[in-house]
Amino acid sequence: MRRIAIAVAASSMVLSLAGCGVLNATGGSGDASPTKGNDVTVGLLLPETANTRYGKFDHPIIKDKVAELTRKQGKVEYANANADAAKQAGQMQQMIDDHVDVILLDAVDAHAIAGQVKKAKDAGIPVIAYDRLAEGPIDAYISFDNELVGEVQGRTLLEGLGANVDSSDKIVMMNGSPTDPNAKQFKAGALSELNGKVKIAAKFDTKDWKPENAEANMTQAINSIGKDNIAGVYSANDGMAGGIIKALKAAGVTTLPPITGQDAELDAVQRIVSGEQYMSVYKSYPDEAQAAAEMAVAKVQGKDIQFDALTRDKVDSPTTKGIPAQLVQVSALTKSTIKDTVVADGIYKVSDICTAKYQAACDALGLK
Ligand code: GAL
């Protein structure tokens, strides 16, 4: 009897909590501007197109999730800046002028965009930093644990170098764009693993994350270090790993050293199968993108309890302290984890990866 009473009390508590959210959502909380129902418009600003994740995963997943959460009444206004910070500022201005209800912002330049974040805030539009921690008065942040991304890259690179790795072994470090705060975290995480274990013989910050810039930097590194003296390459992402491999091949390197990456891009997964790239980092785009859509819709609809549950972490940006955040976990993608990561999560089918060119290598890995 007592147990039933407790159960009833507990469930009516849940009900009344949910009731609060609903009340708030219909504007009954006495807010000056009533919060919205399902007719929400989410502004989505993504940074570039060289990396396939944005067009292939982030945008469509967020769009579908917003539709699902709003009984198909909500919509996403999308713009991609093509790695151009000024262009992104213009796109954000357009969204402010269009009075979107909330903005998900993946900044090209996290510092330069701060003025626009402030403008949106002044216009009453909440801004949620997506994937990269934009400066200025943002309401929340959702990303992966980016320091962990770097640690996983560094650790796995050491594994690829083998048990006899020596602190005089020469590594090239190809970091990401200096305007992307994630790049700094990837670098710090990687260095925490690599420092003292190998020699960083050359390092670069790669403008705009562009593969062709990484290729040019790598050519420069090969010229100064010598093509046969490079034990491994830390590449912060897969796109750049592609450029680095081109440079090594162009210099006549036939046995490629271990090269890292990030993003689980399809051609990188294929390079991992064939042994040209040692690893990538698998980040579950559905986890990040769906949580972002949930945060955006909860924010607009005034569902504070849901919003708080989605943002239990706290982070600081150079301008703002204690930002509510969610940091999603990541894992290493190597030959032995392809099945348990991208295939298990339905990111790629085995048939996407194991095309005719890779069939033999896939067979050898037992990838079916
Ligand atoms: C980072 C992001 C990575 C990758 C990279 C290059 O900010 O976290 O997933 O997209 O930019 O564009």
Side-chain angles (χ1 to χ4, degrees):
M1 199 47 215
R2 200 170 157 257
R3 220 184 269 160
I4 292 170
I6 291 170
V8 168
S11 67
S12 64
M13 200 168 93
V14 168
L15 267 182
S16 67
L17 285 179
C20 271
V22 169
L23 246 189
N24 201 1
T26 53
S29 63
D31 276 352
S33 58
T35 43
K36 301 211 48 165
N38 279 329
D39 58 332
V40 302
T41 302
V42 177
L44 173 64
L45 292 158
L46 294 182
E48 56 144 312
T49 48
N51 192 321
T52 56
R53 61 166 284 188
Y54 302 109
K56 218 161 145 183
F57 302 111
D58 299 86
H59 174 216
I61 294 171
I62 290 173
K63 197 169 135 223
D64 289 353
K65 191 70 187 179
V66 168
E68 182 199 313
L69 291 166
T70 57
R71 298 171 188 257
K72 299 217 167 90
Q73 291 172 51
K75 57 176 193 297
V76 170
E77 187 176 318
Y78 170 57
N80 190 302
N82 236 318
D84 181 337
K87 185 170 176 184
Q88 186 168 62
Q91 292 172 334
M92 189 154 173
Q93 187 59 51
Q94 186 64 52
M95 289 185 182
I96 297 170
D97 294 344
D98 290 349
H99 302 290
V100 300
D101 296 303
V102 56
I103 294 175
L104 286 172
L105 166 64
D106 193 341
V108 175
D109 185 325
H111 179 70
I113 203 72
Q116 291 302 75
V117 173
K118 168 91 176 31
K119 269 197 204 166
K121 182 92 188 168
D122 292 345
I125 303 170
V127 178
I128 298 170
Y130 182 68
D131 201 77
R132 300 179 184 172
L133 186 55
E135 294 182 22
I138 56 168
D139 291 83
Y141 171 57
I142 163 102
S143 189
F144 295 96
D145 183 337
N146 292 310
E147 185 108 13
L148 177 65
V149 170
E151 284 168 27
V152 168
Q153 292 171 320
R155 220 177 292 144
T156 316
L157 178 58
L158 290 177
E159 206 180 279
L161 291 169
N164 297 328
V165 62
D166 186 274
S167 58
S168 64
D169 286 349
K170 291 185 178 142
I171 296 292
V172 175
M173 194 167 197
M174 200 68 67
N175 299 298
S177 166
T179 63
D180 176 352
N182 291 355
K184 211 181 283 168
Q185 289 187 288
F186 302 148
K187 191 196 299 186
L191 285 175
S192 74
E193 297 289 332
L194 297 173
N195 271 339
K197 310 235 176 66
V198 289
K199 181 173 163 48
I200 316 279
K203 55 176 192 286
F204 303 87
D205 290 322
T206 311
K207 189 167 182 322
D208 297 332
W209 284 101
K210 291 210 165 127
E212 56 271 32
N213 294 341
E215 186 181 344
N217 291 340
M218 190 64 202
T219 303
Q220 195 184 314
I222 295 166
N223 290 339
S224 68
I225 305 167
K227 73 174 170 69
D228 299 321
N229 301 327
I230 298 170
V233 184
Y234 166 85
S235 168
N237 83 355
D238 289 338
M240 297 198 305
I244 289 162
I245 291 169
K246 269 197 204 158
L248 286 164
K249 284 186 175 171
V253 175
T254 46
T255 310
L256 292 166
I259 300 163
T260 65
Q262 166 181 200
D263 291 329
E265 292 217 56
L266 181 56
D267 46 11
V269 176
Q270 290 175 321
R271 289 194 297 258
I272 291 171
V273 166
S274 69
E276 286 198 325
Q277 184 174 325
Y278 189 70
M279 65 88 69
S280 182
V281 177
Y282 174 58
K283 315 202 289 194
S284 168
Y285 301 123
D287 284 355
E288 185 188 37
Q290 287 172 1
E294 285 173 6
M295 280 161 69
V297 172
K299 185 79 199 166
V300 175
Q301 295 185 335
K303 293 184 175 160
D304 300 343
I305 295 165
Q306 263 119 309
F307 188 79
D308 292 348
L310 288 160
T311 52
R312 291 194 192 285
D313 298 316
K314 286 266 181 296
V315 299
D316 296 339
S317 81
T319 60
T320 316
K321 302 269 168 278
I323 301 160
Q326 181 178 147
L327 300 180
V328 180
Q329 292 305 295
V330 304
S331 59
L333 185 112
T334 57
K335 274 185 181 175
S336 61
T337 61
I338 293 173
K339 227 182 190 154
D340 298 338
T341 55
V342 285
V343 175
D345 277 11
I347 302 292
Y348 305 122
K349 294 196 278 298
V350 169
S351 59
D352 299 329
I353 303 167
C354 301
T355 53
K357 186 174 168 197
Y358 298 96
Q359 198 53 60
C362 280
D363 289 347
L365 284 179
L367 200 59
K368 291 200 262 289

